[in-house]
Amino acid sequence: MFDLAIVGAGPAGMAAAEVACEHGMRVVIIDEQDRAGGQILRRPPSQFTVRNWLPQRVYRHLHALYARFTDSPSLTHLNNTSVLGISQAEHGFTLQILSSTQSKQGLQPLDAKRILIATGCFDMPLAFKGAQLPGVMATGGLQAFLKSQQIIPGDKFLFVGSHPLQLIVANQVLAAGGDVAGIMFTQPLSAMLRVARSPLVLLRQLPNILFIMGVVIQLLAKRVPIKFGTQLISAEGEHALERVKVKSAKSSGELQNIDCDRLGICFGFLTNNDLLRQAGGHCEWSQSAGGWIATHDDGMRSSVPGIYVAGETTGVAGANVAYFEGRLAALSANLDAEKISTAAYAKACNTFRGSLTATRDFAVLLAQLSYPGDALIAGTMDNDAYLCKCEEVTVGSVVNTLADNPDVTDLNALKLLTRCGMGHCQGRYCHYQSRFLLARERKLAPEILGGFTARFPARPTSIKDLLGTQSTDDLES
């Protein structure tokens, strides 16, 4: 029996584990990757040795956190392991876990008195013509190849989106020896410059601002085209991506074909809150802040007693916010377990609450800057574009189904009628766009629409794995 089970070993999970172990809790941390660090570190497999791994100043505190985290003798690590479900039990909770390296054991129960969910986020997909072609990828996916495998996953890259991450990944592609055809922002330059209206917020995050400015200078020095106010029309190719069609967002803009074999899509991120919703945790929908946002109190406690949340599950806000929220959540868990006094809790929280507020303010500014806008999301939804790639359901077929069934105002009903959301990802990659389309066709606010129900298992798995049952008592020895 663990005092605290942490799901997710990114900045939030690592920070929480460090604090929880300092106060004597028996902690297990579970992550699907081979090594901890989350997407921002995305460390290579343990068999690899990479010199000067992410040497920039903005990563230093995360490297230090990772070193402290991995050296903790009182922490149980379960890497390459997925949590497929959470259920309440007399002792607290039972997590159903599945290891990808020990799949012969099948599904295993793991007992914990409390749970911290810090499951991060994933790239927001976009429905546009040709998005299903091999070579069209999420920018975060391209970055994972570069970081974790030291692989340049293509020859000539084009980046299109609304988030500054595409600048960083494009620069990483160049540093690795790849070719970048261009970086296209959907916003006009004037919209990007509006951040200057909040100078105090920017000054408090000066290292991050200087890092981005340095990246831009390097890209311009290498003559990489950076354009603003660009509209994505389609990805084209016979069997795989060969070119991308774009145009200026201005009404008089001409169509332009850009040759490339990799297109990085970067329109922000969506929270990964399936587990929390499956466990009964309350979430609110935000169209611009990442989809399902976990509600919580000032101590990062969710609506379910004994379950805490931190990081992107509370809204996409970046690694620095995740770090402080992880520490706060672990302190609250210690307080609730009577491991620390109220006075000690207040003193510990006060040491970083100001930093947390400052980083959250910057995250809000970045979210406002990066949200592509309803007009762009609607503008790319060609009738022939796949809304659900898994089941090959097009935008046009969903629109026609809604026209034929005017009483449908719920995503689960739409799912039954169209199979949209019934594929391998179980709606993970079409939930946001389906909700947007349903809201548009019914002229309703997305916030009031029902969502795809979060069910067990949270990840696709085989029946063979589900039939296996082993005890995890040996993990505690």
Side-chain angles (χ1 to χ4, degrees):
M1 169 75 72
F2 291 98
D3 294 320
L4 180 66
I6 301 173
V7 186
M14 291 190 297
E18 180 182 30
V19 171
C21 289
E22 284 176 355
H23 291 87
M25 296 190 93
R26 301 181 66 255
V27 182
V28 59
I29 189 163
I30 308 160
D31 195 85
E32 293 182 332
Q33 301 303 318
D34 180 60
R35 301 174 75 180
Q39 177 67 10
I40 192 165
L41 291 183
R42 197 70 171 184
R43 303 189 69 85
S46 54
Q47 299 89 341
F48 286 14
T49 299
V50 180
R51 294 181 179 178
N52 295 322
W53 179 253
L54 299 177
Q56 292 86 354
R57 180 182 175 185
V58 294
Y59 297 110
R60 289 176 188 171
H61 72 289
L62 293 175
H63 287 313
L65 172 64
Y66 179 84
R68 298 193 304 269
F69 166 83
T70 52
D71 288 343
S72 175
S74 59
L75 178 64
T76 298
H77 301 256
L78 293 181
N79 296 328
N80 299 299
T81 301
S82 297
V83 178
L84 302 187
I86 295 173
S87 58
Q88 296 193 32
E90 185 176 350
H91 58 264
F93 301 92
T94 297
L95 297 81
Q96 299 296 334
I97 65 173
L98 181 68
S99 170
S100 61
T101 59
Q102 298 177 323
S103 58
K104 291 182 180 180
Q105 295 182 8
L107 202 63
Q108 303 175 68
L110 185 148
D111 295 333
K113 296 176 182 177
R114 292 172 175 81
I115 299 174
L116 168 59
I117 296 179
T119 42
C121 62
F122 57 95
D123 294 70
M124 186 180 87
L126 201 66
F128 61 93
K129 192 173 181 180
Q132 79 283 359
L133 282 172
V136 178
M137 300 178 64
T139 295
L142 293 171
Q143 189 183 46
F145 277 103
L146 291 163
K147 283 185 174 181
S148 67
Q149 300 294 328
Q150 303 290 287
I151 292 172
I152 308 172
D155 294 318
K156 193 169 187 178
F157 296 77
L158 177 70
F159 294 88
V160 180
S162 58
H163 198 283
L165 175 67
Q166 61 185 351
L167 294 168
I168 298 172
V169 179
N171 198 41
Q172 290 170 340
V173 168
L174 289 172
D179 184 14
V180 177
I183 303 167
M184 310 290 176
F185 280 92
T186 55
Q187 312 98 315
L189 180 58
S190 59
M192 303 289 285
L193 294 177
R194 286 177 195 154
V195 297
R197 298 176 183 176
S198 305
L200 290 179
V201 175
L202 297 179
L203 283 173
R204 293 190 186 109
Q205 298 296 316
L206 191 58
N208 290 317
I209 299 301
L210 293 175
F211 174 61
I212 290 291
M213 290 176 62
V215 167
V216 172
I217 291 171
Q218 292 176 54
L219 290 169
L220 294 176
K222 295 174 182 177
R223 299 177 182 269
V224 175
I226 303 175
K227 297 184 178 181
F228 298 88
T230 302
Q231 182 178 345
L232 173 63
I233 304 300
S234 62
E236 299 178 350
E238 186 174 355
H239 300 294
L241 179 66
E242 298 174 8
R243 73 195 71 86
V244 174
K245 186 174 289 186
V246 299
K247 70 180 288 290
S248 170
K250 298 178 181 178
S251 58
S252 59
E254 295 183 359
L255 290 174
Q256 180 183 3
N257 289 312
I258 302 176
D259 293 334
C260 59
D261 67 332
R262 291 295 182 271
L263 170 61
I265 299 299
C266 194
F267 288 94
F269 306 91
L270 301 178
T271 63
N272 189 14
N273 267 334
D274 292 345
L275 267 180
L276 178 63
R277 294 197 299 125
Q278 183 194 117
H282 181 260
C283 296
E284 294 180 349
W285 183 263
S286 172
Q287 192 74 5
S288 60
W292 287 117
I293 308 300
T295 58
H296 57 85
D297 67 7
D298 290 341
M300 310 309 298
R301 300 173 183 86
S302 78
S303 62
V304 179
I307 295 183
Y308 307 80
V309 290
E312 315 292 28
T313 58
T314 68
V316 178
N320 290 335
V321 171
Y323 169 80
F324 290 118
E325 287 188 350
R327 292 183 65 85
L328 180 54
L331 285 169
S332 297
N334 275 286
L335 176 66
D336 297 342
E338 299 182 348
K339 298 285 186 179
I340 57 174
S341 67
T342 303
Y345 172 80
K347 182 179 179 180
C349 291
N350 287 337
T351 60
F352 59 81
R353 278 199 184 273
S355 298
L356 176 57
T357 299
T359 51
R360 278 176 173 166
D361 289 343
F362 180 70
V364 170
L365 189 66
L366 184 61
Q368 293 171 347
L369 168 71
S370 304
Y371 179 60
D374 293 356
L376 183 142
I377 296 173
T380 64
M381 282 189 172
D382 185 275
N383 279 340
D384 293 330
Y386 285 122
L387 190 68
C388 175
K389 295 179 186 177
C390 296
E391 294 292 310
E392 298 185 347
V393 180
T394 65
V395 170
S397 66
V398 173
V399 170
N400 291 334
T401 298
L402 290 173
D404 294 337
N405 298 272
D407 294 334
V408 172
T409 57
D410 179 83
L411 274 186
N412 282 324
L414 183 65
K415 183 186 203 179
L416 293 172
L417 288 170
T418 64
R419 295 193 62 81
C420 190
M422 287 189 179
H424 190 68
C425 78
Q426 288 296 284
R428 187 182 185 199
Y429 290 102
C430 62
H431 190 138
Y432 185 93
Q433 304 296 337
S434 298
R435 176 185 287 271
F436 179 89
L437 186 59
L438 179 59
R440 186 191 73 179
E441 294 300 303
R442 293 292 182 254
K443 294 181 173 55
L444 297 171
E447 293 79 8
I448 68 172
L449 298 176
F452 293 148
T453 301
R455 293 188 175 92
F456 174 90
R459 289 286 184 273
T461 189
S462 68
I463 294 176
K464 179 185 71 173
D465 288 332
L466 294 176
L467 291 175
T469 54
Q470 299 290 327
S471 173
T472 54
D473 290 342
D474 58 321
L475 294 174
E476 305 178 39
S477 59

